[in-house]
């Protein structure tokens, strides 16, 4: 099942909150999702962890006017702008949120607590200094949309060539389940985002779905190590395109606003 990065939820709903389109309570509920609790540590002026409502308000007062997402992977610092210490933490977490307007970034630390069968997920966002610069390798929405169209064709060809049942009813059913969660209030984007960003995110999620099905083993036949390696090599560029598109969609709030400035 597809899942949205926590950094994406925080950036999207944090941007909607900054725009005055949702209340602080609405934003925090959407960011936390199914997790038990989110807190933030390292916030200027605080000596310990604080709740998200206070944290987001404080960061706004410190100059943050927008939020961008980073989804880095080894060899691909997607969305990062430094310094090295922040980049290393973000790479370890495979995600981060980068403030716009003030040099603050957030990296989630996720912990599952409780007995087996009754686990609760707790998230601590570490607030760290970031360099205010152009984020690495983030395409425009138009570029992302064009790349995704090609990536979707490539993923479908790879799945067909490798006899992976990922482009038929199973994929459609999984995507329907994802959309059902969105309609129930689990939108990956929040009020205020342009329609093109929603389309790009939807297409990126379809590509991600095909990739995840290709990596799975439950397709009716055993998959050898060499077959899995070949599959991974073929799908790695497709996966990279989908991640770039996700970041472009999440970051479009800031980019659209900047283009609209006189």
């Amino acid at each position: 099942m597809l899942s949205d990065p926590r950094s994406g939820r925080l950036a999207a709903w944090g941007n909607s909150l900054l725009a005055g389109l949702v209340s602080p309570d609405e934003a925090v509920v959407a960011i936390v999702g199914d997790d038990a609790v989110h807190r933030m540590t390292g916030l200027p002026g605080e000596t310990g962890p604080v709740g998200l409502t206070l944290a987001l308000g404080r960061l706004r007062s410190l100059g943050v006017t927008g939020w961008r997402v980073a989804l880095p992977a080894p060899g691909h610092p997607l969305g990062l702008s430094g310094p090295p210490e922040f980049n290393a933490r973000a790479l370890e977490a495979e995600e981060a949120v980068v403030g716009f307007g003030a040099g603050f970034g957030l990296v989630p630390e996720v912990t599952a607590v409780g007995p087996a069968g009754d686990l609760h997920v707790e998230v601590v966002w570490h607030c760290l200094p970031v360099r205010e610069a152009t984020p690495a390798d983030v395409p425009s929405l138009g570029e992302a949309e064009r790349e995704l169209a090609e990536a979707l064709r490539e993923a479908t060809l790879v799945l067909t060539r490798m006899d992976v049942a990922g482009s038929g009813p199973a994929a459609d059913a999984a995507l329907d389940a994802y959309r059902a969660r969105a309609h129930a209030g689990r939108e990956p984007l929040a009020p205020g985002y342009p329609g093109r960003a929603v389309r790009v995110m939807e297409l990126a999620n379809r590509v991600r779905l095909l990739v995840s099905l290709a990596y799975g083993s439950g397709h009716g036949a055993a998959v050898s190590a060499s077959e899995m390696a070949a599959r991974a090599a073929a799908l790695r560029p497709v996966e990279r395109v989908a991640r770039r598109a996700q970041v472009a969609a999440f970051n479009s709030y800031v980019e659209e606003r900047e283009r609209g400035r006189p």
Side-chain angles (χ1 to χ4, degrees), residues 244-260:
R244 291 180 79 234
Q246 275 186 288
V247 173
F250 282 125
N251 292 7
S252 62
Y253 170 88
V254 171
E255 310 309 331
E256 288 280 311
R257 197 190 61 188
E258 282 303 288
R259 276 197 294 272

Side-chain angles (χ1 to χ4, degrees), residues 172-186 202-203 206:
D172 291 338
L175 188 59
D176 286 345
Y178 181 84
R179 286 172 173 158
R181 297 204 330 273
H183 293 157
R186 295 289 303 279
E202 186 73 17
L203 188 54
R206 179 174 284 276

Side-chain angles (χ1 to χ4, degrees), residues 3-57:
S3 60
D4 306 314
R6 290 178 173 86
S7 292
R9 294 206 305 265
L10 191 147
W13 288 90
N15 284 331
S16 195
L17 175 62
L18 287 169
L21 299 175
V22 298
S23 70
D25 287 345
E26 288 174 313
V28 170
V29 166
I31 293 167
V32 173
D34 291 333
D35 298 335
V37 64
H38 284 217
R39 292 186 294 268
M40 192 176 297
T41 189
L43 191 68
E46 299 293 334
T47 59
V50 300
L52 281 189
T53 301
L54 187 155
L56 292 174

Side-chain angles (χ1 to χ4, degrees), residues 88-198:
R89 292 285 292 268
L91 182 58
E92 182 179 0
E94 299 182 340
E95 61 175 313
V97 186
V98 179
F100 180 79
F104 298 102
L106 311 173
V107 179
E109 179 184 354
V110 182
T111 305
V113 298
D118 189 27
L119 292 177
H120 299 276
V121 175
E122 297 182 357
V123 179
V124 175
W125 293 92
H126 294 270
C127 183
L128 303 162
V130 296
R131 183 181 300 139
E132 294 189 73
T134 302
D137 198 36
V138 179
S140 69
L141 281 176
E143 291 169 334
E145 199 165 25
R146 290 191 293 272
E147 291 175 2
L148 280 169
E150 178 59 33
L152 184 58
R153 289 192 292 269
E154 180 63 24
T156 303
L157 287 173
V158 169
L159 296 177
T160 303
R161 187 167 63 245
M162 295 181 174
D163 195 26
V164 178
S167 56
D172 291 338
L175 188 59
D176 286 345
Y178 181 84
R179 286 172 173 158
R181 297 204 330 273
H183 293 157
R186 295 289 303 279
E187 301 92 340
L189 295 177
Y193 273 81
R196 193 173 198 178
V198 177

